[in-house]
Amino acid sequence: MEPSRVTDPESRSAPDTSFAERTRQARKARANEKILREKSFTERTIERIRHSQSVLYGFLDEAGRLFTFIGQFFKRFWRRPFEFKELLNQMDEVGSKSFLLVSVCGLAIGIVLAMQSRGTLARFGAEAFLPSMLALSVFKEIGPVITGLVLAGRLGAGFAAEIGSMKVTEQIDAMEAAALKPFHYLVVTRVLACVIMFPLMTILVDVIALSGGFLESNLASGMDWRVFIDTAFSSMRFVDVIVDTMKTSIFGFIVGIVACYLGYTVRGGTREVGQAAMQAVVLSSLLILIADVVVVRISLFVFGDVSGG
């Protein structure tokens, strides 16, 4: 006969104690894990806030430097030396050397816009209004903006790269040492050339685009050029042409001053020169679009729209 088992009270409580201990440790581990997660989330949030502050401070610092550069331009552009010869050279650079590029853009805009609009207008029985719609679209918006963006791509990168290369090779320092006033020679002339030539190039694009629209209309429907011209300008106001053409002087100022600033403030080597050229195109294009919205809003407020509203 087996002896009867005597159950020790301590041995019976041992499993409960071990279970309680494991439960306590598990709770402690979960609490530590939660603290670590909260700490990690807090650290990530603080790091994001610090990064946002750094970006904001960097943007404000760069904007302040740009406005200081603009202030230097307005302070110096009327002082001697005037550098007329270099101004003419830069006007030639902006005008004659961009002639083919903007002409092709204008012709393509006119033809494509006429082809795309013809079907829509014909659907509503308003095909006769195609010249009027084409003229309004080209003169009021498409011509100025496309001209500004195309010239920003060609001139912005060129100005920034040229001046940036002179900066990293210390040619600008040598000009300052020789008292040649490089700011007048490099910055003032280029900005003024852009301000003067952008409206002229816009008129060229507008005329070529309208000619492209007439060419498409003549081939598609045999429209006479007198009818085309009379219809095109029947709903145009002189003030619309003047205001929407002259706003490209603002675009020219933006392209010139941004490209010259980024080139003039290059530090480092050839890699920074390439970055400055790319930034000049991107930043000037973005500012052109923003300036266009502001100018159109102001012109509508002052002069009203074509319908007289």
Side-chain angles (χ1 to χ4, degrees), residues 88-98 154-155 159:
L88 294 177
N89 290 333
Q90 294 303 324
M91 290 173 65
D92 177 66
E93 178 72 23
V94 176
S96 63
K97 295 183 180 179
S98 303
R154 198 188 85 78
L155 299 172
F159 287 170

Tab-separated table of all heavy atoms in Angstrom, residues 88-98 154-155 159:
chain	number	residue	atom	x	y	z
A	88	LEU	N	23.761	96.494	-74.382
A	88	LEU	CA	23.385	96.134	-75.755
A	88	LEU	C	23.750	94.688	-76.055
A	88	LEU	O	22.994	93.970	-76.738
A	88	LEU	CB	24.061	97.080	-76.746
A	88	LEU	CG	23.609	98.549	-76.686
A	88	LEU	CD1	24.420	99.397	-77.669
A	88	LEU	CD2	22.117	98.661	-76.998
A	89	ASN	N	24.911	94.254	-75.567
A	89	ASN	CA	25.301	92.847	-75.776
A	89	ASN	C	24.311	91.888	-75.120
A	89	ASN	O	23.945	90.857	-75.704
A	89	ASN	CB	26.702	92.602	-75.210
A	89	ASN	CG	27.776	93.291	-76.011
A	89	ASN	OD1	27.598	93.535	-77.214
A	89	ASN	ND2	28.894	93.608	-75.380
A	90	GLN	N	23.879	92.239	-73.929
A	90	GLN	CA	22.921	91.364	-73.239
A	90	GLN	C	21.540	91.411	-73.883
A	90	GLN	O	20.828	90.399	-73.922
A	90	GLN	CB	22.829	91.763	-71.761
A	90	GLN	CG	24.108	91.531	-70.975
A	90	GLN	CD	24.565	90.078	-71.035
A	90	GLN	OE1	23.755	89.137	-71.040
A	90	GLN	NE2	25.880	89.871	-71.100
A	91	MET	N	21.142	92.582	-74.403
A	91	MET	CA	19.868	92.659	-75.140
A	91	MET	C	19.928	91.791	-76.390
A	91	MET	O	18.939	91.146	-76.765
A	91	MET	CB	19.566	94.119	-75.496
A	91	MET	CG	19.202	94.980	-74.295
A	91	MET	SD	19.039	96.744	-74.685
A	91	MET	CE	17.624	96.701	-75.780
A	92	ASP	N	21.097	91.778	-77.029
A	92	ASP	CA	21.258	90.894	-78.188
A	92	ASP	C	21.199	89.426	-77.761
A	92	ASP	O	20.617	88.591	-78.460
A	92	ASP	CB	22.607	91.195	-78.856
A	92	ASP	CG	22.880	90.262	-80.010
A	92	ASP	OD1	22.145	90.326	-81.012
A	92	ASP	OD2	23.835	89.461	-79.919
A	93	GLU	N	21.789	89.126	-76.592
A	93	GLU	CA	21.753	87.760	-76.076
A	93	GLU	C	20.309	87.332	-75.788
A	93	GLU	O	19.910	86.208	-76.111
A	93	GLU	CB	22.571	87.678	-74.782
A	93	GLU	CG	22.581	86.331	-74.092
A	93	GLU	CD	23.404	85.305	-74.838
A	93	GLU	OE1	24.289	85.725	-75.613
A	93	GLU	OE2	23.163	84.083	-74.656
A	94	VAL	N	19.533	88.236	-75.202
A	94	VAL	CA	18.143	87.900	-74.878
A	94	VAL	C	17.281	87.855	-76.128
A	94	VAL	O	16.429	86.977	-76.279
A	94	VAL	CB	17.570	88.930	-73.877
A	94	VAL	CG1	16.099	88.648	-73.601
A	94	VAL	CG2	18.354	88.904	-72.583
A	95	GLY	N	17.512	88.800	-77.068
A	95	GLY	CA	16.638	88.939	-78.213
A	95	GLY	C	16.989	88.061	-79.395
A	95	GLY	O	16.310	87.055	-79.660
A	96	SER	N	18.046	88.391	-80.089
A	96	SER	CA	18.338	87.715	-81.356
A	96	SER	C	18.666	86.239	-81.159
A	96	SER	O	18.291	85.404	-81.988
A	96	SER	CB	19.505	88.418	-82.054
A	96	SER	OG	20.677	88.324	-81.273
A	97	LYS	N	19.341	85.897	-80.062
A	97	LYS	CA	19.715	84.500	-79.849
A	97	LYS	C	18.561	83.651	-79.309
A	97	LYS	O	18.686	82.433	-79.212
A	97	LYS	CB	20.918	84.427	-78.911
A	97	LYS	CG	22.168	85.051	-79.532
A	97	LYS	CD	23.377	84.920	-78.642
A	97	LYS	CE	24.590	85.567	-79.321
A	97	LYS	NZ	25.805	85.497	-78.492
A	98	SER	N	17.463	84.310	-78.929
A	98	SER	CA	16.275	83.562	-78.512
A	98	SER	C	15.194	83.595	-79.576
A	98	SER	O	14.115	83.031	-79.371
A	98	SER	CB	15.714	84.154	-77.198
A	98	SER	OG	16.690	84.159	-76.190
A	154	ARG	N	16.037	79.297	-70.740
A	154	ARG	CA	17.267	79.527	-71.504
A	154	ARG	C	18.202	80.520	-70.815
A	154	ARG	O	19.393	80.275	-70.672
A	154	ARG	CB	16.927	80.057	-72.898
A	154	ARG	CG	18.057	79.915	-73.900
A	154	ARG	CD	17.769	80.609	-75.204
A	154	ARG	NE	18.123	82.010	-75.183
A	154	ARG	CZ	19.356	82.481	-75.302
A	154	ARG	NH1	20.376	81.651	-75.453
A	154	ARG	NH2	19.617	83.774	-75.267
A	155	LEU	N	17.638	81.645	-70.363
A	155	LEU	CA	18.482	82.715	-69.822
A	155	LEU	C	18.819	82.495	-68.348
A	155	LEU	O	19.927	82.817	-67.914
A	155	LEU	CB	17.776	84.061	-69.987
A	155	LEU	CG	17.463	84.462	-71.427
A	155	LEU	CD1	16.599	85.710	-71.455
A	155	LEU	CD2	18.738	84.680	-72.214
A	159	PHE	N	22.640	82.689	-67.282
A	159	PHE	CA	23.164	83.757	-66.418
A	159	PHE	C	23.779	83.184	-65.143
A	159	PHE	O	24.876	83.580	-64.733
A	159	PHE	CB	22.036	84.727	-66.048
A	159	PHE	CG	21.603	85.620	-67.177
A	159	PHE	CD1	20.463	86.391	-67.062
A	159	PHE	CD2	22.326	85.689	-68.355
A	159	PHE	CE1	20.056	87.221	-68.098
A	159	PHE	CE2	21.936	86.503	-69.407
A	159	PHE	CZ	20.787	87.268	-69.274
